[in-house]
Amino acid sequence: RARVLKAECYEVFNPKMRSEAVRQFQLEAELRRAIERQEFVLYYQPIIALQTRQLAGFEALVRWQHPQRGLISPAEFIGPAEETGLIVPLGLWILRQACQQMYDWHQAFPQLGPLIISVNLSPRQFNQSDLTQQVAQVLADCHLESCSLKLELTESTAMENVSSTIEQLLKLKALNLKLSLDDFGTGYSSLSYLHHFPTDTLKVDRSFVNRMVETQGDSDIVGTIIALGHKLGMDVIAEGVETEEQCVQLQTFGCQYGQGYLFSKPLPAHTAAAFIAQQVTQLS
Ligand code: C2E
Ligand code: MG
Ligand code: MG
Ligand code: MG
């Protein structure tokens, strides 16, 4: 009898699943260590005003500078960090780092209009009850004006529990910072709630922008999202702009901002500073 049970157990926990569990466990331990050893680094991707081609701000994007494996993309570790709750201390570090950096750039380049720094919030971070207090603390510590900070929340996260989302967004908005709905068009949006969100910006998801020149349907979706955003009083940023053709089409739709490889990849801090410096010389 016992032998039979044992055999069944082996059936259930097959070696593949076991190795997956081990891998997850190792990743979690490594993430913990990485936070302690400060192995994370922020990259900054320019956000450009399409009409003037001027720099409007940056989105902070985290990478893991792994001592053996090199630069690891957030796609690999944000999910596990979210599941284990490690995203909370990591997210706070990201916010602080990004705000400090933007304060330094404001000091170094006073000629430019106030650039805005956008920071992504994961679902777990967003659902913390003391998030607003934490953000307020970071802004105060970094001496950054709150209107220079924009927090990005994906449409899917925002729609998980609409009434608590609205409550949380209103608390954040009371700090006078900016709010953005990220990856818009990919979640199950409820349009009837959208106008209750105190959000300043919609970011059209990269997947639509990517196909908009080839596919009429995607072009229609992009045009509709832009019109919708404007109707609700929001600015619109197109993600993943890679070609001049996309840029032209976006402008005919009246889209104000773009972000993508056409303008720049995400840059390490010193290269981003050089990007700003170049803008300054173009202006003068
Ligand atoms: P996201 O917030 O939608 O960020 C935009 C992603 O699109 C970035 O990928 C960026 O490198 C990529 N991208 C930008 N322009 C182009 C383009 O022209 N073509 C293509 N193919 N891709 C482009 P990345 O840096 O790998 O980040 C992926 C996602 O990971 C982000 O999507 C965001 O959801 C998450 N993430 C990144 N950094 C953070 C962070 O600090 N905190 C949290 N919670 N999530 C983060
Ligand atoms: Mg984002
Ligand atoms: Mg996005
Ligand atoms: Mg995206």
Side-chain angles (χ1 to χ4, degrees), residues 45 59-63 73-74 78 87 94 120-122 125 152 182-183 206 239-242 259-261 266:
Q45 187 173 36
E59 179 174 4
L61 294 160
V62 69
R63 276 96 183 86
S73 115
I78 292 289
I87 192 68
I94 292 166
N120 293 287
L121 291 180
S122 78
Q125 260 183 299
E152 296 194 0
D182 203 358
D183 299 347
R206 171 152 64 87
E239 295 185 332
V241 184
E242 294 184 355
Q259 182 182 347
Y261 298 164

Side-chain angles (χ1 to χ4, degrees), residues 37-56:
R37 295 180 187 171
Q38 308 204 7
E39 290 174 2
F40 294 96
V41 54
L42 293 190
Y43 274 49
Y44 298 90
Q45 187 173 36
I47 295 171
I48 303 292
L50 297 180
Q51 285 290 340
T52 59
R53 295 278 173 127
Q54 272 175 24
L55 180 66

Side-chain angles (χ1 to χ4, degrees), residues 6-231:
K6 212 171 165 192
E8 277 169 1
C9 286
Y10 280 117
E11 272 287 307
V12 175
F13 298 100
N14 65 52
K16 200 172 151 226
M17 282 168 72
R18 186 166 180 282
S19 69
E20 176 58 23
V22 169
R23 212 186 63 86
Q24 277 295 325
F25 183 77
Q26 281 171 345
L27 182 58
E28 185 183 334
E30 269 197 273
L31 276 171
R32 256 180 231 288
R33 231 175 300 141
I35 293 175
E36 281 162 24
R37 295 180 187 171
Q38 308 204 7
E39 290 174 2
F40 294 96
V41 54
L42 293 190
Y43 274 49
Y44 298 90
Q45 187 173 36
I47 295 171
I48 303 292
L50 297 180
Q51 285 290 340
T52 59
R53 295 278 173 127
Q54 272 175 24
L55 180 66
F58 290 96
E59 179 174 4
L61 294 160
V62 69
R63 276 96 183 86
W64 180 2
Q65 182 69 67
H66 194 282
Q68 280 88 42
R69 290 193 282 151
L71 213 57
I72 302 178
S73 115
E76 282 190 50
F77 63 84
I78 292 289
E82 174 78 18
E83 279 161 35
T84 54
L86 289 171
I87 192 68
V88 171
L90 177 59
L92 200 57
W93 179 86
I94 292 166
L95 179 68
R96 194 171 282 277
Q97 187 75 14
C99 289
Q100 268 168 11
Q101 183 61 81
M102 191 41 85
Y103 176 80
D104 289 348
W105 284 336
H106 283 177
Q107 298 304 109
F109 304 100
Q111 312 89 321
L112 286 181
L115 296 174
I116 290 175
I117 185 74
S118 298
V119 178
N120 293 287
L121 291 180
S122 78
R124 190 120 165 197
Q125 260 183 299
F126 181 72
N127 291 321
Q128 281 177 281
S129 56
D130 62 344
L131 177 66
T132 303
Q133 289 89 318
Q134 288 184 27
V135 173
Q137 187 65 53
V138 169
L139 285 167
D141 294 346
C142 298
H143 309 290
L144 188 73
E145 279 192 286
S146 56
C147 57
S148 301
L149 174 65
K150 187 180 277 188
L151 297 175
E152 296 194 0
L153 182 70
T154 66
E155 179 193 26
S156 330
T157 306
M159 294 297 169
E160 264 168 31
N161 181 341
V162 174
S163 59
S164 70
T165 294
I166 294 171
E167 199 183 317
Q168 186 74 309
L169 289 177
L170 285 171
K171 282 201 276 175
L172 287 167
K173 192 62 203 172
L175 297 179
N176 198 31
L177 44 68
K178 297 190 167 64
L179 297 168
S180 185
L181 274 182
D182 203 358
D183 299 347
F184 194 82
T186 56
Y188 295 97
S189 200
S190 180
L191 295 182
S192 57
Y193 293 120
L194 202 54
H195 74 281
H196 292 297
F197 290 165
T199 36
D200 305 271
T201 311
L202 280 189
K203 294 188 87 172
V204 185
D205 190 66
R206 171 152 64 87
S207 57
F208 305 112
V209 177
N210 193 269
R211 299 179 302 244
M212 70 182 291
V213 175
E214 294 78 28
T215 317
Q216 185 62 43
D218 289 292
S219 169
D220 291 343
I221 291 172
V222 172
T224 305
I225 293 176
I226 293 167
L228 175 68
H230 291 166
K231 194 92 188 160

